[in-house]
């Protein structure tokens, strides 16, 4: 039963199913993050292609998050229109952006060992990216080289413009949803 006495929907369109799909998508993204090969590649063309693919992935994620944020802003004044599916999609897109940046940091650290201090594993990269995106910045892992600093600057701009807005909308809309049920 929902908060208004109506039976809770089940099946593919139900909020429970949508949460399961979002959780599975997030776990698949996390699995891909740990499994994608990132060995150093002496072939400059392949390295350039990987770099372009990473930039394209981050740009696509930023576009997706921005689109989903606009959709949520359009319905923000009418809680009845808030769709749990688009909120969950936004949350998964934010996780995708986080993992794309962590992977980019890891690849930079592996390709040019002097670019980051104390970033040697994928966990280090995830830790550093979370510390950067949440603006905690402990300082134990940090960008030292110019290329790494440029990459981190892009992460900071992404955080300010995309992640912060998207995360605040997800939290606000989910709180509204919880308050209605």
């Amino acid at each position: 039963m929902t908060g208004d006495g109506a039976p809770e929907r089940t099946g593919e369109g139900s909020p429970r199913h949508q949460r399961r799909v979002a959780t599975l998508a997030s776990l698949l993204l996390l699995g891909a993050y740990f499994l994608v090969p990132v060995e150093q590649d002496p072939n400059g063309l392949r390295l350039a292609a990987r770099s372009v693919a990473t930039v394209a992935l981050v740009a696509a994620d930023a576009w997706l998050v921005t689109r989903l944020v606009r959709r949520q802003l359009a319905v923000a004044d009418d809680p009845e229109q808030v769709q749990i599916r688009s909120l969950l999609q936004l949350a998964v897109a934010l996780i995708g952006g986080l993992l794309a940046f962590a992977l980019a940091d890891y690849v930079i650290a592996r390709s040019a060992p002097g670019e980051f201090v104390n970033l040697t594993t994928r966990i280090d990269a995830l830790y550093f990216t979370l510390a950067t995106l949440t603006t905690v910045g402990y300082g134990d892992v940090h960008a030292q080289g110019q290329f790494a600093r440029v990459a981190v600057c892009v992460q900071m701009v992404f955080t300010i413009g995309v992640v912060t807005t998207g995360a605040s909308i997800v939290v606000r809309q989910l709180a509204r949803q919880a308050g209605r049920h």
Side-chain angles (χ1 to χ4, degrees), residues 22-126:
T23 300
L24 179 61
S26 297
L27 290 173
L28 288 172
L29 285 170
L30 191 60
Y33 168 74
F34 281 103
L35 295 175
V36 69
V38 293
E39 293 80 31
Q40 238 177 320
D41 193 342
N43 183 320
L45 185 59
R46 280 194 301 252
L47 182 59
R50 280 182 170 174
S51 299
V52 168
T54 300
V55 169
L57 177 64
V58 169
D61 190 65
W63 173 82
L64 177 62
V65 169
T66 303
R67 193 183 107 218
L68 292 167
V69 164
R70 273 192 248 143
R71 182 184 302 166
Q72 287 302 315
L73 288 173
V75 300
D77 295 331
D78 185 0
E80 295 301 317
Q81 290 186 16
V82 174
Q83 296 178 1
I84 191 76
R85 169 179 259 152
S86 62
L87 283 174
L88 292 171
Q89 289 170 344
L90 178 57
V92 170
L94 291 170
I95 291 168
L98 164 80
L99 294 173
F101 277 117
L103 192 58
D105 291 341
Y106 182 64
V107 169
I108 291 169
R110 296 242 344 193
S111 300
E115 291 292 315
F116 284 98
V117 173
N118 295 330
L119 197 156
T120 57
T121 68
R122 290 179 199 239
I123 295 290
D124 292 339
L126 188 57

